[in-house]
Amino acid sequence: MSQNTPLPLRILWNAFFWTYERATWQYDLMVIAILAFVWLTPPSWLGDPMAGGSGPIGWILEQLR
Amino acid sequence: MTFTGLIGRICLFPLELIIKTSVALKIHPNILTFVGLLINVAAAWALAVGAFVPAGGIMIVGNIFDYIDGKVANELNAVSAFGGFWDSVIDRFSDLSLFIGLIYLYSSMHRTDYVIVAALTMMFAIMTSYTRARAESLIKKCKVGFMERPERIVLFMIGAFTNRMAAVLWVILVLSVFTVADRIIYTYRELREPQVAA
């Protein structure tokens, strides 16, 4: 991807076409994003057949209601 | 040092101890690999009955065997081409057994949607390994894409211990699709380049 490509597009392309090694800051960032998705997404949004409760996001939404 | 690098170093301490014990007992690395598979089959059974936390614990034990076999082979000077082949084949059986455990669980719950999600994830997990193996028969190296086996296994454990398996399956599925696509694109580009004579 050329250097003239806008930064957001370059970030998206680098996330899609992953060439980073483990134990780099890019890898850590991806791990944080994955863990955030896994732990913060309310299980009901995904129709999880096993998980109970609404998860942290669901809890915050309940408190706001 | 990065966060994931630090975790790797902490985990290495007990593993070094197990490696030293296996070397002292002169256990053949191929046997360690096979024991790892048997333990993973037990983990798959635990997943199939919905016992996620025990499944996570069993997976940790199984993958210790999976990790140490190569190190033990080095220490015992028992590194062989067949050992590498055996390790790869057994890894695929271990991967497949875990997915079959989940497919059994979701089908017993009459959740066809998650049977499909688990089956697709299984397909792309296997294709992730296959695309690399096939690519590396044509080009020197094809190590692109995020979702490789260690990431998959750690995610499986996280899903099991925190009861968030559905989210984990979605993550593995989406990132495995990207990884397979990365490997196809990378191989296409590499093969398009003029080959340099050795």
Side-chain angles (χ1 to χ4, degrees), chain B residues 165-185:
Chain B
M165 199 53 90
V168 159
L169 278 179
W170 278 110
V171 169
I172 297 176
L173 174 59
V174 171
L175 293 182
S176 296
V177 170
F178 282 157
T179 301
V180 170
D182 288 349
R183 289 177 178 185
I184 293 169
I185 293 166

Side-chain angles (χ1 to χ4, degrees), chain A residues 13 16-19 22-25 27-28 30-31 34-35 37-39 41 43 46-52 55, chain B residues 2-4 50 52 106 109 111 114 144-146 148 150-151 155 158 162-164 166-167 171 175 178 182 185 189:
Chain A
W13 173 253
F16 164 70
F17 194 74
W18 188 267
T19 53
R22 295 192 182 104
T24 55
W25 70 264
Y27 186 87
D28 279 7
M30 185 66 124
V31 168
I34 289 171
L35 291 180
F37 174 78
V38 169
W39 285 332
T41 308
L46 301 169
D48 191 329
M50 291 295 287
Chain B
T2 61
F3 173 66
T4 48
F52 279 1
Y106 294 136
M109 297 172 84
R111 289 297 302 265
Y114 270 95
V144 292
F146 180 86
E148 294 197 295
E151 284 78 18
L155 272 169
I158 289 169
T162 62
N163 196 9
R164 290 290 182 271
V171 169
L175 293 182
F178 282 157
D182 288 349
I185 293 166
R189 282 179 174 177

Side-chain angles (χ1 to χ4, degrees), chain B residues 12-48:
Chain B
L12 217 61
F13 281 112
L15 288 174
E16 293 288 351
L17 199 74
I18 300 167
I19 291 166
K20 278 181 186 156
T21 311
S22 302
V23 170
L25 294 171
K26 287 191 168 59
I27 302 172
H28 197 280
N30 290 354
I31 293 172
L32 291 174
T33 311
F34 190 69
V35 171
L37 168 66
L38 296 180
I39 298 170
N40 271 311
V41 170
W45 176 78
L47 286 176

Side-chain angles (χ1 to χ4, degrees), chain B residues 84-103:
Chain B
F85 167 78
W86 175 251
D87 186 41
S88 298
V89 171
I90 295 297
D91 281 355
R92 300 293 83 71
F93 277 119
S94 294
D95 283 355
L96 286 168
S97 57
L98 294 177
F99 282 112
I100 288 171
L102 280 179
I103 289 171

